[in-house]
Amino acid sequence: MGIRINNMEQVVELTEVGEGIIQIKMQDKESKNTFSQALTAGLMEAFNHVKNETKYKVVVLTGYDTYFASGGTQDQLMKLTEGNSKFTDFDLYSLSLNCPIPVIAAMQGHGIGGGFAMGLFADFVILSQESIYTTNFMNYGFTPGMGATYILPKKMGIVLAEEMLLTAKKYRGEELQARGIPFPVLRRDKVMDYAYELAATIAEKPRVSLVTLKDHLVGEMRQELPKIIEEEVKMHAITFAQPEVKDRIKTLFGN
């Protein structure tokens, strides 16, 4: 459906799926949508394209099959333990927040760690009943990053956010729905239809009005987030330095 604009090295596909509606599809099947170099570059290129193209009014951000986004790669996490990089080296977490037009995160598949946090920064979030959603940072022994300590309480409420961040448990979408999260949670095969219908409703509005209203609605978040990111980086400097963290990443990654 629509016209492929650029295959972004085939791991990020940018497609017009309706008038004023642009879809960004993450499909790095080799890495299962972890933040590989190719996926990272593709996402940044895609959002930059959207930013510079004034015919678009709304973005649908989605994944492939049973994966939405899976967070950092094992190699990236190991580099963090060595102090050779920071998650802020590539600002994936606020791409949706800083996008001038509304973004719909159609999380039809699993959202893991930073991948789940990235999705929550969208203006609209749709989950699937069957998929797993987790902020699993603490399973590896290090504190959450990617703005997770800010966006989870903001979007899901402090009680559930603390539980998810501190325990690092896995939750099916239907479990989160039963906990009263404020997002639609649908069968996986219904998520995209819902997202396209929502996008079409948004795209009926004038772009200038959409941009102006989004600037107003998320202005406070855009101002507050950098301070939170600074604090998360400081916590990483402490927690990634623990020897057991490197061992956990080696043995537990992907489980």
Side-chain angles (χ1 to χ4, degrees):
M1 180 169 63
I3 302 170
R4 180 178 295 182
I5 305 299
N6 190 326
N7 66 11
M8 304 292 180
E9 299 183 23
Q10 299 181 348
V11 302
V12 176
E13 184 180 83
L14 195 58
T15 309
E16 292 181 9
V17 295
E19 186 173 356
I21 305 170
I22 187 72
Q23 176 176 282
I24 299 174
K25 183 176 183 180
M26 300 176 284
Q27 51 185 11
D28 191 344
K29 298 181 180 180
E30 183 177 346
S31 77
K32 295 182 178 178
N33 276 0
T34 54
F35 294 144
S36 65
Q37 184 176 354
L39 185 65
T40 297
L43 278 171
M44 297 183 77
E45 183 180 348
F47 273 94
N48 188 58
H49 174 82
V50 170
K51 180 180 178 180
N52 295 321
E53 180 52 75
T54 58
K55 67 179 177 179
Y56 302 138
K57 297 182 177 182
V58 58
V59 176
V60 177
L61 176 65
T62 193
Y64 77 94
D65 296 345
T66 59
Y67 290 93
F68 175 71
S70 304
T73 67
Q74 188 176 40
D75 182 60
Q76 288 166 342
L77 297 183
M78 291 301 291
K79 287 181 179 178
L80 288 171
T81 69
E82 297 160 0
N84 294 331
S85 65
K86 300 182 179 68
F87 72 87
T88 52
D89 291 345
F90 299 99
D91 182 359
L92 294 179
Y93 48 89
S94 67
L95 286 175
S96 293
L97 180 65
N98 291 325
C99 183
I101 58 177
V103 177
I104 300 167
M107 301 174 70
Q108 86 311 324
H110 308 313
I112 300 170
F116 183 49
M118 182 182 72
L120 292 181
F121 275 102
D123 303 283
F124 300 89
V125 176
I126 310 163
L127 305 184
S128 83
Q129 294 173 347
E130 306 95 323
S131 297
I132 290 171
Y133 303 100
T134 178
T135 48
N136 61 340
F137 307 92
M138 291 287 279
N139 276 345
Y140 301 114
F142 60 86
T143 47
M146 295 288 290
T149 62
Y150 177 77
I151 200 62
L152 263 78
K154 194 81 169 177
K155 291 291 184 76
M156 305 185 75
I158 186 62
V159 173
L160 181 56
E162 282 195 318
E163 179 182 314
M164 294 187 75
L165 292 167
L166 287 166
T167 68
K169 287 171 53 179
K170 298 176 181 177
Y171 300 78
R172 294 282 179 185
E174 60 187 358
E175 294 177 69
L176 295 176
Q177 184 178 32
R179 296 288 295 271
I181 62 168
F183 313 130
V185 183
L186 310 170
R187 288 202 333 247
R188 180 175 290 131
D189 60 359
K190 299 295 183 182
V191 168
M192 295 312 299
D193 288 342
Y194 185 97
Y196 292 144
E197 183 177 348
L198 175 60
T201 300
I202 295 169
E204 294 172 353
K205 282 68 178 177
R207 176 186 161 90
V208 170
S209 298
L210 291 169
V211 172
T212 302
L213 181 55
K214 174 167 178 173
D215 282 345
H216 172 72
L217 292 173
V218 305
E220 186 175 283
M221 292 174 61
R222 288 172 175 169
Q223 291 178 352
E224 293 174 345
L225 183 60
K227 177 62 176 176
I228 300 298
I229 297 300
E230 286 182 19
E231 294 300 321
E232 289 185 348
V233 170
K234 289 178 183 177
M235 289 192 291
H236 276 186
I238 297 169
T239 59
F240 268 106
Q242 301 175 92
E244 70 176 287
V245 170
K246 183 177 291 188
D247 293 336
R248 283 172 175 259
I249 294 170
K250 286 180 180 178
T251 58
L252 298 177
F253 188 86
N255 294 337

